[in-house]
Amino acid sequence: LSKFPELMAGRKMSLGDELASYLTEEVGEATSSQASQALGKERSEVSRLFYNDHRFVKTRQEGREKYYGVKAT
């Protein structure tokens, strides 16, 4: 089975869903820059989602780098 069944079914995942899958299934936490590079998306879009989407939570900060993960449900 694929990690991304929506893609296999021919449906496009939203960026928020892609980010949530990337964080939960691959890395656990990431900065906007790391996630945007891994997913091939604009950093500004990823950053905006991290800040505005209730699914994501800041996990830590190192200097200016903010790390985000998926909020526990």
Side-chain angles (χ1 to χ4, degrees):
L1 288 175
S2 171
K3 287 184 185 180
F4 304 105
E6 295 85 356
L7 293 178
M8 296 303 291
R11 284 181 249 125
K12 185 176 178 184
M13 292 175 72
S14 70
L15 179 54
D17 290 342
E18 284 186 65
L19 273 173
S21 291
Y22 170 68
L23 292 172
T24 57
E25 297 179 16
E26 295 185 38
V27 295
E29 67 177 5
T31 66
S32 297
S33 296
Q34 292 168 337
S36 65
Q37 187 173 22
L39 298 174
K41 305 293 182 182
E42 292 292 325
R43 190 200 58 77
S44 60
E45 292 179 59
V46 171
S47 181
R48 185 173 55 247
L49 268 174
F50 278 156
Y51 187 75
N52 293 317
D53 191 314
H54 68 278
R55 291 178 285 182
F56 305 110
V57 62
K58 187 167 83 170
T59 57
R60 63 188 168 105
Q61 185 166 344
E62 291 183 8
R64 294 182 59 171
E65 293 291 321
K66 297 175 186 172
Y67 288 78
Y68 292 86
V70 176
K71 186 185 296 186
T73 55

